[in-house]
Amino acid sequence: MKKILTLLVGILLVSAVSAQPNNEKHLWKEAKKRAKELTAEGWVVDSSMSLETILFNHYKKLSTEGTSELVGNVIGNTSVVTVNQGQQWATTSACISYAKESAMSLKGRLVAEVGAGVAGSPSADSFYEGYESSLSKELAGEVKKSFGIYKNKKDGTIDYIGYFVVNEENAHKARMKAMEAAMIESEFARSNAERISQFVRNGQ
C-alpha cells in the first residue's frame, strides 16, 4: 500500500509557473504599474507600507525557485466587515481553490487513463472529495500571507483579496498526507489500487 501511495502522489505534482524577472529594476517597474492599476480601481493595501513596496516584495518572493502564488478572493455578497475577517476568509479560500484544482487534475488524469466508468463512479467522486477536503486542511499550515488588498462597499462590508505564497516542497508533503488519508477511507482506492498503481507506473 505504501508503494502505491508513493506512486499515486506522483501524479499530484502541480506545475507552478511564475514570471521570472530579469532584475530588480524590472520588478520595481512592474510593481509600480500594478499598484497604479489597483489604486485606480479603489483597492487599499492592508499594510503600513506602500502598495508599490508590498508588490515589489511579493514579486521577489515569487522569483524564488519552488515558490508559488495562491490567491484568496472574498468578493461579492459576503458579511465581511473587517480586514481581519477578510484575511481569514481569504486564507481559507486560497487553500480550498488549490485543493479543488489538485483534485480536478487527479480526476482528469484517472478518467483518461483508468477509464471514465471507474474513475467517474460515485465511490471515486467520494475519494476525490475526501482528498480535496483533507488537502485544504493540510495546506492551511503551509501557505504564508504576502499581502492583502481591500475595498470598502456602500453597505458597510468590504471586498478583500489575499495574496499568499507556498513552498512547493511543503505543498507536495501536504498532498501526500491528504492522499494517504483519502486512500485509507476510500472504497474506490482499495478496490482499484492495482489499476491505479499500474496507471501511475506507466505515467512516470
Side-chain angles (χ1 to χ4, degrees):
M1 176 61 79
K2 288 185 178 180
K3 184 177 181 180
I4 295 174
L5 290 174
T6 301
L7 290 170
L8 185 55
V9 168
I11 68 175
L12 299 174
L13 294 175
V14 178
S15 298
V17 181
S18 299
Q20 298 297 317
N22 295 325
N23 50 51
E24 292 194 355
K25 183 178 180 179
H26 177 74
L27 277 178
W28 183 248
K29 181 179 179 180
E30 288 300 311
K32 289 182 67 176
K33 177 182 177 182
R34 185 56 180 152
K36 184 177 181 179
E37 294 172 347
L38 291 172
T39 300
E41 294 171 5
W43 293 101
V44 179
V45 66
D46 66 345
S47 170
S48 59
M49 289 190 289
S50 69
L51 183 53
E52 291 91 343
T53 301
I54 288 289
L55 283 164
F56 174 71
N57 291 335
H58 180 64
Y59 292 155
K60 283 185 67 175
K61 294 173 186 175
L62 295 180
S63 68
T64 302
E65 185 176 356
T67 301
S68 299
E69 178 187 66
L70 277 69
V71 179
N73 291 302
V74 186
I75 298 175
N77 297 320
T78 70
S79 58
V80 174
V81 296
T82 68
V83 170
N84 186 55
Q85 281 182 308
Q87 292 172 346
Q88 294 175 9
W89 284 38
T91 302
T92 300
S93 175
C95 291
I96 290 176
S97 295
Y98 183 100
K100 188 178 295 294
E101 181 179 344
S102 182
M104 288 178 65
S105 176
L106 171 61
K107 181 177 181 178
R109 293 286 300 280
L110 289 178
V111 167
E113 301 293 337
V114 179
V118 174
S121 66
S123 60
D125 288 339
S126 179
F127 167 63
Y128 305 134
E129 290 171 4
Y131 166 73
E132 181 181 323
S133 176
S134 182
L135 178 55
S136 180
K137 295 175 183 176
E138 291 289 344
L139 197 65
E142 302 300 338
V143 298
K144 308 299 180 184
K145 179 176 177 289
S146 185
F147 73 100
I149 53 177
Y150 66 94
K151 184 186 299 186
N152 293 309
K153 296 189 291 185
K154 293 180 179 179
D155 63 359
T157 63
I158 65 171
D159 281 336
Y160 187 94
I161 303 177
Y163 293 83
F164 306 84
V165 293
V166 61
N167 176 275
E168 263 303 315
E169 183 177 347
N170 293 336
H172 171 76
K173 292 177 182 178
R175 293 195 296 272
M176 180 175 288
K177 290 180 181 178
M179 178 57 65
E180 290 174 349
M183 290 285 285
I184 292 173
E185 298 295 329
S186 172
E187 177 185 348
F188 162 75
R190 293 194 298 271
S191 300
N192 298 281
E194 184 176 347
R195 295 184 66 182
I196 294 174
S197 177
Q198 171 99 27
F199 150 62
V200 175
R201 283 198 299 270
N202 291 339
Q204 296 304 301

